[in-house]
Amino acid sequence: MADSKQANPVVTIKKYANRRLYNTATSAYVTLDHLAQMVRDRVDFVVFDAKSGDDITRSILTQIILEAESSGNNLLPVGFLRDIIRSYGDSVQGFLPSYLDLAMKSFTDSREQFSKSLNGGFDLSGPAELFQQAVRANMSMMAEAAKTFTGVVVPTALRPTSKTAQKSEASEELVAMRAQMAAMQARLDKLDGTHG
């Protein structure tokens, strides 16, 4: 199976002074909703200011996120947003984008493995362990990167925990995940009953 990035070229979007976005691949004007769907469909695009030629992809993607957040699809925790703001001008500013990119890729991979496990049945011991592995990998990566880039040793509280503590946390999270799954199943059953 060919990689989608190799199969599909990057689409160029032009933003005009009237704030309209023009998809050069389809020769049609598009909205932020269209661009959000392209992201979900894994269609890569870049956005250029039609007048200056500047690459404004980052600001357009940020605008899509802001619109999703303001419409009630709250995904970003307030603490995370505050930490992002604090990071501007901080000594880790240059390192943070790479870390966040790697962390998000790790999360996406774990989510796909979790989804595959759920599709194969409801044994949550595998997905819980996959989730724990992803958390441990992210924490280790962050600790090592912080040490490499800043020379600062990450406090013990932020380091990956011992195997015993990890097992205890994993079993607590497994119980919580099972309770959440049961609650979700009850909601689905209730919805199914109201529509049936």
Side-chain angles (χ1 to χ4, degrees):
M1 186 170 161
D3 184 17
S4 60
K5 286 187 177 181
Q6 293 174 347
N8 298 320
V10 176
V11 175
T12 298
I13 308 292
K14 291 184 179 180
K15 183 178 181 187
Y16 290 93
N18 61 4
R19 306 183 107 186
R20 294 189 76 185
L21 299 161
Y22 184 76
N23 183 332
T24 61
T26 60
S27 299
Y29 285 100
V30 294
T31 64
L32 290 177
D33 288 337
H34 289 117
L35 296 184
Q37 187 59 50
M38 288 173 70
V39 170
R40 286 189 285 274
D41 292 340
R42 300 186 184 276
V43 175
D44 287 335
F45 61 84
V46 290
V47 184
F48 292 104
D49 183 281
K51 185 175 182 180
S52 68
D54 293 342
D55 183 341
I56 57 170
T57 308
R58 185 183 310 268
S59 66
I60 294 295
L61 292 172
T62 304
Q63 194 174 350
I64 291 169
I65 292 169
L66 289 174
E67 288 207 359
E69 288 285 319
S70 65
S71 70
N73 294 321
N74 302 106
L75 186 64
L76 301 174
V78 171
F80 174 80
L81 294 171
R82 287 186 175 134
D83 286 340
I84 291 289
I85 292 168
R86 286 184 196 110
S87 296
Y88 284 99
D90 195 332
S91 60
V92 297
Q93 180 177 339
F95 146 75
L96 189 61
S98 298
Y99 171 74
L100 290 175
D101 194 37
L102 286 172
M104 195 63 194
K105 284 178 182 165
S106 175
F107 172 77
T108 301
D109 291 345
S110 298
R111 181 180 62 189
E112 288 172 2
Q113 289 178 345
F114 182 81
S115 178
K116 286 178 187 174
S117 295
L118 285 180
N119 289 336
F122 282 95
D123 175 16
L124 293 179
S125 60
E129 180 57 31
L130 290 173
F131 179 76
Q132 285 295 314
Q133 288 173 3
V135 169
R136 287 193 296 271
N138 283 340
M139 292 301 290
S140 294
M141 181 174 60
M142 183 174 176
E144 286 303 312
K147 185 177 171 187
T148 301
F149 285 101
T150 66
V152 175
V153 176
V154 175
T156 306
L158 295 179
R159 289 185 189 162
T161 55
S162 68
K163 290 283 184 192
T164 306
Q166 288 173 2
K167 285 182 183 178
S168 173
E169 289 172 10
S171 60
E172 288 174 14
E173 288 187 19
L174 180 59
V175 169
M177 287 177 72
R178 285 186 173 145
Q180 288 175 347
M181 290 297 290
M184 286 171 37
Q185 186 62 51
R187 285 183 189 162
L188 288 173
D189 290 344
K190 187 175 178 181
L191 285 173
D192 191 37
T194 60
H195 294 296

